[in-house]
Amino acid sequence: MFETFLAIVRRDLILAMRRRSDMLTILFFFVIVVSLFPLGIGPEMNTLRLIAPGVVWVAALLASMLALERLFAIDYADGALEQMLLAPQPLSLLVLGKVAAHWLVTGLPLVLMAPVLGIQYDLSLDGLRVLVITLLLGTPALSLIGAIGAALTLGLRGGGVLVSLLVLPLTIPVLIFGAGAVEATISGLGGEGHMSMLAAILVLSLFFAPLAAAAALRVSVE
Amino acid sequence: MSSRIVNWFKFSSPATFYPLAGRMIPWFTAAAVILLGVGLYMSFFVAPTDYKQGEGYRIIFVHVGTAWMSMFIYVVMAAWAGLGLVFNTRVSAMMATALAPTGAMFTFVALWTGALWGKPMWGTWWVWDARLTSELILLFLYLGFIALQSAIDEPRRADRAGAILALVGVVNIPIIYYSVQWWNTLHQGATVSVSQGSSMGTVMLWTMLIMTLGFWAYAIAVVLARVRCIILERERDTTWVNELEGGVR
């Protein structure tokens, strides 16, 4: 079973490496959105420090929504997805593999880029550390929850906007606990509680989201 | 022996459900008109003026009922959607589709009347209170469901995709509610609480209950009428629709 999972991850990573620009587009979108806020709000450092966790988190949320469209679309277009549906291995396992590869390509770069953006906002070292940890816990959950939306909107016109409409309300807890942990750390309250909740959400979505996404794929491809 | 078993699926076919819904609509319409009429009369003329909030509080007779309905309808919608997914019954999925606009309407009215109530009471149209925020997110969930179903042309796929979304949403609602509540208490944003605090007078309570029952009857009547339209639209090529009195075509 684990071999199947690894095979899917490896295959998706190879495919992604052949189209590196996709990955960079999402990363640059994240950087640009975060850099726009000071231009809109003003360069006052005290204000920026206050809004930094929320801005970085909202930008990460939007960037991961943008990336979702590609999760199943290419496999759907060339017919590989139908073969996966017919495979003897459980579909939810294959979905989990696809989501893992998708996160490595689109989520992990955001996590690695976040501290640089945090410095732009003059976050403290503690704040930066917690920001990276929460993104590390939160972005996989975003990819997992997003996979349900991506599977539901597969092949629909206007799928990209629709998937955001479906998924964004469901990701609100991730946003709240992710940004909340950083804020609590900066203000000296300690973000451990938030991080535990974030980890709990990740575990829950690891279990349930592949099942729901697999069911949604069966509906969409049928 | 088998004839003694109740046939639970008798009305799961559109052909048998359509006339049943048609027979039920007048009763629920009448109930809605009477209950809402009595309820509105009581809320304007019978219920006493609140000593603290004055006349403006009367809006809660509409507000509380619609807020209850907005949450309740989502659960009912998810239940119908789940039934449709499990038993593959068409009417269940059509009921879920028919419930969504009514639920969204109640959510919107609850938010709207809440804003109207908040202005004189709190001095602001909107606060980021936990309940207001979760109600707003509930509206987003309804809109997502409607948008997904209307984006899919094929009815059976729309039914099942919508069902999965509704079930995911209903699992998420408690998580969203508690996270929003926690977020709110940590932020110390709104100092005003929506809860009334004081024990409510009997007349006010009765008025509110009558109004809520009126909303129930209204919701049932409207949803049944809508589901009849959906049935006709989807089953227009079947013999029983063409044999209906008056001729649909």
Side-chain angles (χ1 to χ4, degrees):
Chain A
M1 285 261 267
F2 194 62
E3 282 162 26
T4 326
F5 174 78
L6 280 185
I8 286 273
V9 173
R10 198 174 303 129
R11 166 187 175 274
D12 274 23
L13 285 182
I14 291 170
L15 285 178
M17 281 308 127
R18 290 188 189 148
R19 317 184 44 154
R20 254 161 280 179
S21 64
D22 281 4
M23 185 173 134
L24 288 176
T25 317
I26 288 155
L27 186 60
F28 281 125
F29 174 80
F30 177 59
V31 174
I32 288 173
V33 168
V34 174
S35 311
L36 277 181
F37 275 83
L39 299 176
I41 288 166
E44 184 58 46
M45 265 306 172
N46 285 328
T47 320
L48 290 184
R49 216 175 291 129
L50 210 62
I51 61 166
V55 166
V56 175
W57 257 99
V58 170
L61 201 60
L62 294 178
S64 71
M65 289 305 111
L66 202 67
L68 281 177
E69 230 185 322
R70 296 190 181 84
L71 181 52
F72 299 116
I74 297 169
D75 282 348
Y76 179 61
D78 66 11
L81 198 61
E82 276 173 39
Q83 300 305 317
M84 288 181 200
L85 258 66
L86 294 172
Q89 284 82 11
L91 182 60
S92 47
L93 186 76
L94 306 183
V95 169
L96 191 63
K98 281 193 74 63
V99 173
H102 181 257
W103 176 76
L104 285 174
V105 173
T106 59
L108 197 57
L110 304 189
V111 179
L112 299 176
M113 189 54 108
V116 182
L117 298 173
I119 290 171
Q120 274 192 329
Y121 282 74
D122 195 28
L123 274 183
S124 65
L125 203 62
D126 264 352
L128 287 178
R129 191 172 52 83
V130 173
L131 180 66
V132 172
I133 295 174
T134 53
L135 281 171
L136 213 50
L137 289 171
T139 44
L142 293 183
S143 297
L144 283 162
I145 300 169
I148 305 172
L152 284 175
T153 57
L154 202 57
L156 298 183
R157 62 197 134 78
V161 186
L162 190 60
V163 78
S164 309
L165 193 63
L166 302 184
V167 174
L168 281 176
L170 301 176
T171 56
I172 285 169
V174 180
L175 173 68
I176 287 174
F177 291 122
V182 185
E183 247 162 62
T185 310
I186 296 171
S187 58
L189 289 170
E192 284 80 11
H194 286 93
M195 280 191 262
S196 312
M197 291 302 286
L198 209 54
I201 291 175
L202 175 59
V203 171
L204 265 182
S205 51
L206 260 178
F207 186 77
F208 285 111
L211 295 175
L217 276 181
R218 290 203 190 279
V219 169
S220 297
V221 175
E222 207 162 72
Chain B
M1 185 65 195
S2 63
S3 63
R4 292 181 67 86
I5 298 173
V6 182
N7 185 5
W8 293 104
F9 292 101
K10 188 183 176 200
F11 291 110
S12 68
S13 146
T16 47
F17 188 74
Y18 181 83
L20 175 76
R23 280 201 303 279
M24 281 157 75
I25 288 173
W27 293 100
F28 282 106
T29 312
V33 169
I34 293 167
L35 283 167
L36 287 177
V38 172
L40 281 175
Y41 177 78
M42 280 176 76
S43 41
F44 278 116
F45 302 109
V46 180
T49 310
D50 191 88
Y51 76 100
K52 232 171 20 189
Q53 305 182 6
E55 301 289 347
Y57 91 97
R58 288 179 198 278
I59 204 159
I60 64 165
F61 293 126
V62 177
H63 175 71
V64 174
T66 49
W68 281 344
M69 290 305 291
S70 69
M71 290 177 263
F72 185 67
I73 286 180
Y74 195 91
V75 178
V76 174
M77 187 179 90
W80 277 116
L83 271 182
L85 209 57
V86 172
F87 293 115
N88 213 9
T89 44
R90 277 170 297 169
V91 171
S92 318
M94 292 178 198
M95 280 298 283
T97 310
L99 276 161
T102 306
M105 188 276 288
F106 274 122
T107 318
F108 180 74
V109 171
L111 283 168
W112 188 19
T113 51
L116 289 179
W117 183 82
K119 188 64 184 167
M121 299 305 157
W122 301 340
T124 171
W125 298 108
W126 180 261
V127 289
W128 287 96
D129 177 90
R131 292 195 202 188
L132 274 74
T133 316
S134 351
E135 190 76 7
L136 184 67
I137 296 168
L138 185 65
L139 181 64
F140 294 157
L141 288 177
Y142 274 120
L143 294 181
F145 181 88
I146 297 170
L148 177 66
Q149 290 215 319
S150 60
I152 304 175
D153 293 327
E154 193 195 334
R156 290 303 287 150
R157 184 183 162 187
D159 285 348
R160 297 167 65 186
I164 292 174
L165 185 68
L167 289 177
V168 170
V170 93
V171 170
N172 248 282
I173 280 178
I175 303 177
I176 292 174
Y177 181 73
Y178 285 109
S179 62
V180 167
Q181 205 161 30
W182 202 20
W183 161 77
N184 182 259
T185 48
L186 280 171
H187 274 244
Q188 293 287 324
T191 45
V192 236
S193 157
V194 186
S195 52
Q196 289 293 93
S198 59
S199 59
M200 198 179 278
T202 324
V203 181
M204 294 187 191
L205 193 66
W206 273 107
T207 314
M208 203 178 273
L209 282 177
I210 290 171
M211 286 296 282
T212 308
L213 284 176
F215 288 139
W216 261 72
Y218 163 81
I220 294 173
V222 166
V223 167
L224 287 178
R226 192 176 292 125
V227 92
R228 268 164 69 96
C229 294
I230 296 174
I231 288 175
L232 283 186
E233 209 177 312
R234 294 227 193 138
E235 308 275 310
R236 60 180 177 274
D237 294 329
T238 56
T239 336
W240 72 267
V241 170
N242 289 315
E243 282 168 359
L244 279 179
E245 205 180 340
V248 177
R249 299 209 126 168

